[in-house]
Amino acid sequence: MPPIPSRAELIDHFVRTRIAGDVATPRDNNLSHYRKLANGDRHYWLGLELGDRWTDEQDVLAVMAERCGVVDDPEHRTGQDTIDPELTVDALDRMATVLRKAAEGGQRVLFATGHPGGLLDVHHGVAAALRAAGCEIMVIPSGLQADGGYVFQFCDVAMLERGATLWHTHSPEPMAAILDGLAREGRPLPDLVVADHGWAGCAGQRGIDAVGFADCNDPALFIGEAEGTLAVTVPLDDHVVDPRYYDPMTAYVIDAAGLTAQP
């Protein structure tokens, strides 16, 4: 684990590595996803039930400008878009508060990711720190299937595997399989889920405290936080060119939560 950065150092790091600031996700892709969410395409709802509350894509854009830091001008249709690194660190601080509460209460915590190529080690590092602080890092039931693949756990993190490959997925179905599997076995549900994409949305929709990471083209989790369905949504580019770029962020949030990074 790298040295713990200050807030200013972390913001500078985010901008240099494009985790935030001028990010790689293009503006037209963002707007297309906002429109599809508003048009009721459930792929973009990430497991949340949004009803008819977000049928105007300009309302979605307004939430994303406020909570993620994308350009708020609806006439900006192509080219560069942004994530405000100040908002990213603010959200990390809110996440740290949730993690601190989990540690103090010895909570059951479930980790999952739909971005194994980017965020696996972030989740693994936080899981190890919470276990050392006395939390139960939940073990998922075996043999679970969803979306034509298997839901399994590696490095304390649940993921979707298909054809011997870890899959990038936005689907809520793998998380639904885990929660339903726990219920079938008569095991308690998690007190907290730390995840992203549909893994976080599904957990929040089922009433479980959930915190998640989300890119600027994944508006549903930001709406979930705005409505109180998710506890925290952290805005960031969720798959930059080198996953090691996330290491300073992991160190920061572990320290902010009063936890100790594990070797």
Side-chain angles (χ1 to χ4, degrees):
M1 193 64 66
I4 299 161
S6 67
R7 179 186 178 97
E9 289 168 340
L10 187 60
I11 287 172
D12 179 67
H13 172 76
F14 283 161
V15 172
R16 284 188 290 104
T17 59
R18 301 184 74 184
I19 291 173
D22 290 340
V23 292
T25 311
R27 176 67 167 192
D28 56 338
N29 181 262
N30 284 346
L31 295 180
S32 171
H33 287 201
Y34 303 169
R35 185 178 311 113
K36 289 172 181 176
L37 180 147
N39 288 341
D41 187 334
R42 284 180 172 267
H43 175 76
Y44 297 92
W45 287 15
L46 302 182
L48 296 169
E49 292 298 330
L50 303 180
D52 58 0
R53 300 184 298 279
W54 297 93
T55 57
D56 186 338
E57 66 183 274
Q58 299 307 320
D59 291 340
V60 179
L61 174 60
V63 168
M64 294 303 292
E66 176 188 10
R67 293 181 175 268
C68 184
V70 301
V71 177
D72 62 1
D73 180 5
E75 298 307 313
H76 178 51
R77 312 297 300 179
T78 61
Q80 183 67 54
D81 213 340
T82 58
I83 294 174
D84 185 341
E86 297 278 357
L87 294 178
T88 304
V89 181
D90 287 346
L92 289 171
D93 289 340
R94 297 196 303 277
M95 177 180 281
T97 299
V98 175
L99 298 176
R100 182 188 294 269
K101 177 185 174 184
E104 290 173 346
Q107 292 184 355
R108 296 181 300 273
V109 188
L110 174 63
F111 288 81
T113 186
H115 251 298
L119 298 177
L120 171 58
D121 215 31
V122 176
H123 291 296
H124 173 59
V126 176
L130 282 177
R131 175 182 284 114
C135 287
E136 175 191 346
I137 306 305
M138 297 194 70
V139 176
I140 70 170
S142 61
L144 298 177
Q145 298 183 45
D147 295 331
Y150 289 90
V151 185
F152 79 114
Q153 210 163 18
F154 178 71
C155 293
D156 292 324
V157 186
M159 290 166 283
L160 181 66
E161 184 267 347
R162 194 186 300 158
T165 300
L166 301 180
W167 275 74
H168 169 220
T169 176
H170 289 70
S171 173
E173 295 305 317
M175 178 58 75
I178 293 173
L179 300 178
D180 292 344
L182 290 170
R184 281 195 305 270
E185 293 183 355
R187 293 172 54 192
L189 296 179
D191 300 305
L192 174 66
V193 166
V194 181
D196 45 66
H197 287 176
W199 305 80
C202 175
Q205 187 62 47
R206 292 202 183 192
I208 299 169
D209 283 345
V211 297
F213 299 97
D215 209 327
C216 54
N217 63 353
D218 292 327
L221 295 191
F222 296 98
I223 288 173
E225 184 181 11
E227 293 193 328
T229 313
L230 265 73
V232 181
T233 299
V234 179
L236 81 177
D237 186 319
D238 53 16
H239 198 140
V240 291
V241 294
D242 186 345
R244 293 275 71 80
Y245 288 164
Y246 297 110
D247 288 353
M249 177 184 78
T250 307
Y252 178 91
V253 76
I254 288 172
D255 179 70
L259 306 173
T260 302
Q262 300 303 296

